[in-house]
Amino acid sequence: EIVLTQSPGTLSLSPGERATLSCRASQSVSSRFLAWYQQKPGQSPRLLIYGASTRATGIPDRFSGSGSGTDFTLTISRLEPEDFAVYYCQQYGSSPITFGGGTKVEI
Amino acid sequence: QVQLQESGPGLVKPSETLSLTCTVSGGSISNYYWSWIRQPPGKGLEWIAYIFHSGSTNYNPSLKSRVTISLDTSKNQFSLKLSSVTATDTAIYYCARGLTMFDPWGQGARVTVSS
């Protein structure tokens, strides 16, 4: 099983600042199979990025994904108030599908 | 646009079987993978299983002995059964479309295991 480790656990920032979230895999993951989600309290997760760097439909361009192999990054260029949430990475490089433990972005 | 809605009992007794159904609207269940994912209170996400419209399935090894996923194309629904539940199965259960990525998701069904 591929373990995804997200860091930091919590990121305390202000609106307008840049957020950099890390997702490290225990084994190499094909970039095609790395996705990022945003989850706000009381809501379902929302797909942000797939294929490591492709934004999902309707996702603002302040969200970007990068990385390959075992190290992947989600960057939010300028935080908007609605971006404060928990972010998860997910892989399907091999079964079972696994998620990281999440990074909370808080004010 | 495709929408998913989970339904089923919100309370299940220990040792019994949890049963949930996901109804897909706004699109056909054919030609896609469909998954169940759960989230214990205050915790992260755990993939449970997926099924393809052809009926092929894959399960998380940690739950495989207790899980069955099935599909009813005539009703545009797919279902989850989790047997011999314990308190550790208390979670929000989400259905979602996809295999390599999940989009969209249902709103989630909160299931509590308690006597």
Side-chain angles (χ1 to χ4, degrees), chain A residues 7-60:
Chain A
S7 61
T10 302
L11 199 51
S12 298
L13 295 168
S14 299
E17 290 192 299
R18 181 184 188 90
T20 303
L21 287 65
S22 172
C23 176
R24 179 160 291 177
S26 60
Q27 304 170 41
S28 184
V29 174
S30 170
S31 296
R32 290 183 295 161
F33 302 137
L34 194 288
W36 289 92
Y37 301 84
Q38 176 194 66
Q39 187 177 33
K40 297 179 182 179
Q43 296 185 16
S44 309
R46 177 176 70 146
L47 178 68
L48 294 177
I49 300 284
Y50 62 94
S53 60
T54 302
R55 279 187 299 279
T57 303
I59 301 303

Side-chain angles (χ1 to χ4, degrees), chain B residues 20-57:
Chain B
L20 294 171
T21 296
C22 182
T23 300
V24 179
S25 60
S28 174
I29 205 167
S30 297
N31 299 317
Y32 287 99
Y33 286 87
W34 303 93
S35 291
W36 286 97
I37 297 151
R38 71 180 183 179
Q39 185 171 37
K43 296 188 177 181
L45 300 162
E46 179 182 34
W47 169 74
I48 301 170
Y50 70 67
I51 187 166
F52 191 46
H53 76 100
S54 65
S56 65
T57 58

Side-chain angles (χ1 to χ4, degrees), chain A residues 1 32-33 35 37 39 43-47 50 88 90-92 95-101, chain B residues 35 37 39 43-47 50 58-61 94 99-103 105-108:
Chain A
E1 171 175 322
R32 290 183 295 161
F33 302 137
Y37 301 84
Q39 187 177 33
Q43 296 185 16
S44 309
R46 177 176 70 146
L47 178 68
Y50 62 94
Y88 294 97
Q90 171 248 320
Q91 69 78 30
Y92 185 50
S95 187
I97 296 163
T98 53
F99 291 87
Chain B
S35 291
I37 297 151
Q39 185 171 37
K43 296 188 177 181
L45 300 162
E46 179 182 34
W47 169 74
Y50 70 67
N58 192 15
Y59 298 100
N60 191 321
Y94 296 102
L99 167 63
T100 57
M101 60 184 185
F102 302 113
D103 181 55
W105 296 58
Q107 67 181 31

Side-chain angles (χ1 to χ4, degrees), chain B residues 25-95:
Chain B
S25 60
S28 174
I29 205 167
S30 297
N31 299 317
Y32 287 99
Y33 286 87
W34 303 93
S35 291
W36 286 97
I37 297 151
R38 71 180 183 179
Q39 185 171 37
K43 296 188 177 181
L45 300 162
E46 179 182 34
W47 169 74
I48 301 170
Y50 70 67
I51 187 166
F52 191 46
H53 76 100
S54 65
S56 65
T57 58
N58 192 15
Y59 298 100
N60 191 321
S62 68
L63 297 167
K64 186 174 183 177
S65 63
R66 300 193 291 131
V67 174
T68 303
I69 188 172
S70 60
L71 197 68
D72 187 337
T73 54
S74 67
K75 294 182 179 179
N76 237 32
Q77 294 176 334
F78 62 105
S79 298
L80 173 74
K81 291 189 186 299
L82 178 65
S83 64
S84 305
V85 297
T86 69
T88 59
D89 294 312
T90 293
I92 297 175
Y93 286 76
Y94 296 102
C95 58

Side-chain angles (χ1 to χ4, degrees), chain A residues 75-98:
Chain A
T75 301
I76 311 171
S77 59
R78 294 175 311 280
L79 283 164
E80 297 287 342
E82 62 267 28
D83 299 336
F84 291 91
V86 179
Y87 293 84
Y88 294 97
C89 57
Q90 171 248 320
Q91 69 78 30
Y92 185 50
S94 65
S95 187
I97 296 163
T98 53

